[in-house]
Amino acid sequence: MIGQKNFFLDEDIAKQFNVDRNAILMESGEGRTYRSGNIVLKHINNDSLEQTKWIIDLFHNINEDGFRVSRPIASLDGKWITNNGWSAWIFLEGNHEYKRHIPLIINAIIDFHKAIKNVPRPSFFDEDSEYRRSDRYAWGDLPNKINPKIEPLVKKLFAFRKPVEGIENQIIHGDLGPANILLVDTLKPGIIDIAPYYRPVEFALAIFAYWIGPWTGDMEVLKYFEKINHFDQMLVRAGIRMLMTKSEFNMQGDAYEEYSKSTNLIIKYLEQK
């Protein structure tokens, strides 16, 4: 693994989950995620504790049919989260080489969301954050104040937005980029690091389409999504959410150029419809 860093786990944590103290700091995971053997250990921030408990319950009980997930592992004393904020998960094998597997991934995303269709909307979705606000802007009214550098791009996309009918909100994975999908030729696609939102499944698919299409400049891949209900409108909302997230975090420099290119590709795609 390029850039991997060795890490020595505290003896207490290693004992709690019966793992070797020699671990690797994983590239994803915001510097708080480590792998020891086939176990992934995550150190949880207090502000994400409620969401982590909810995710543990979701993945502990989920029926894997057409997809794989990383299941939680209890500590030796039966806790999902230790007193000092550690959780453990089964490591999923796989790579992120999605190009040969796009139809398979689309089916796995659909199957994953079928499995969680009836999960109730949790109360922490009402919390205020840059990500939650950006999601609301993609579906509702824009705020009065937008990063002036990207405001023209947002308003261009907003002009394409239309009401949609016949789709239902449910719990979705709202950040399905290639980094959160693991592929092995002999296994079903793995879906990891859920970012939960309450939106239509079609929107989750549009997020995936955004990352492999406009973001990479490969608009040909959008042909795989033609049968998705209201796909164009979902892609518009995905583009708005991406831009508004960067506005919330005061996007600057190279990030602007990247999001500008992907947004203009979406606009060109819609203009040709």
Side-chain angles (χ1 to χ4, degrees):
M1 183 183 297
I2 297 174
Q4 76 177 30
K5 296 181 180 179
N6 294 328
F7 184 82
F8 206 51
L9 295 169
D10 289 344
E11 184 176 3
D12 177 60
I13 299 303
K15 284 183 177 179
Q16 281 286 321
F17 294 106
N18 194 28
V19 298
D20 194 294
R21 294 184 68 186
N22 291 298
I24 296 170
L25 176 65
M26 300 187 72
E27 292 178 351
S28 60
E30 300 178 340
R32 299 190 304 273
T33 304
Y34 308 86
R35 178 186 174 189
S36 178
N38 288 321
I39 305 298
V40 174
L41 297 110
K42 299 181 180 181
H43 194 224
I44 304 160
N45 281 339
N46 286 334
D47 58 2
S48 61
L49 188 60
E50 183 181 1
Q51 178 170 309
T52 301
K53 289 178 179 177
W54 179 86
I55 292 172
I56 287 171
D57 185 60
L58 178 70
F59 283 174
H60 173 60
N61 294 301
I62 198 169
N63 178 30
E64 295 173 79
D65 185 6
F67 62 92
R68 296 176 293 140
V69 297
S70 175
R71 290 187 179 271
I73 300 170
S75 64
L76 292 181
D77 57 2
K79 294 179 180 178
W80 293 116
I81 301 175
T82 64
N83 292 337
N84 51 357
W86 287 85
S87 66
W89 307 76
I90 295 172
F91 175 75
L92 284 192
E93 294 286 347
N95 60 66
H96 306 295
E97 301 298 324
Y98 64 87
K99 291 186 178 181
R100 294 188 296 112
H101 304 286
I102 295 173
L104 180 68
I105 295 170
I106 290 173
N107 288 336
I109 292 171
I110 292 171
D111 288 339
F112 171 75
H113 287 97
K114 284 180 181 177
I116 62 174
K117 179 176 176 58
N118 296 319
V119 175
R121 182 182 184 276
S123 59
F124 65 78
F125 277 25
D126 296 324
E127 296 174 358
D128 191 43
S129 72
E130 291 87 353
Y131 296 107
R132 298 282 172 214
R133 288 195 297 271
S134 300
D135 180 67
R136 290 195 292 270
Y137 298 147
W139 292 84
D141 295 331
L142 292 175
N144 293 326
K145 185 178 180 181
I146 303 175
N147 182 319
K149 196 169 186 178
I150 67 168
E151 185 173 8
L153 294 172
V154 174
K155 290 189 173 179
K156 282 182 181 179
L157 276 182
F158 204 80
F160 284 98
R161 207 185 73 176
K162 298 176 182 178
V164 291
E165 297 179 354
I167 53 178
E168 298 180 0
N169 289 336
Q170 67 161 80
I171 301 297
I172 66 165
H173 190 322
D175 190 21
L176 278 169
N180 288 334
I181 297 169
L182 292 169
L183 299 159
V184 178
D185 285 341
T186 57
L187 299 172
K188 297 294 184 182
I191 294 176
I192 61 172
D193 292 343
I194 184 171
Y197 290 84
Y198 199 67
R199 293 299 179 196
V201 175
E202 292 85 352
F203 185 59
L205 287 161
I207 295 292
F208 176 56
Y210 175 92
W211 287 121
I212 68 171
W215 183 255
T216 67
D218 182 9
M219 299 300 282
E220 285 295 314
V221 300
L222 298 189
K223 66 185 179 184
Y224 294 107
F225 300 85
E226 290 175 349
K227 295 183 180 180
I228 303 301
N229 287 339
H230 300 294
F231 174 70
D232 291 354
Q233 284 301 309
M234 297 299 103
L235 187 62
V236 167
R237 287 159 171 78
I240 293 171
R241 198 190 80 176
M242 299 300 181
L243 286 172
M244 290 309 303
T245 299
K246 297 308 168 185
S247 177
E248 289 289 308
F249 284 102
N250 195 25
M251 176 174 62
Q252 297 177 356
D254 292 342
Y256 168 78
E257 298 301 329
E258 292 172 340
Y259 282 90
S260 175
K261 289 177 182 178
S262 58
T263 301
N264 284 320
L265 283 173
I266 294 174
I267 292 169
K268 183 178 179 181
Y269 167 78
L270 295 169
E271 288 175 340
Q272 293 174 344
K273 300 295 282 186

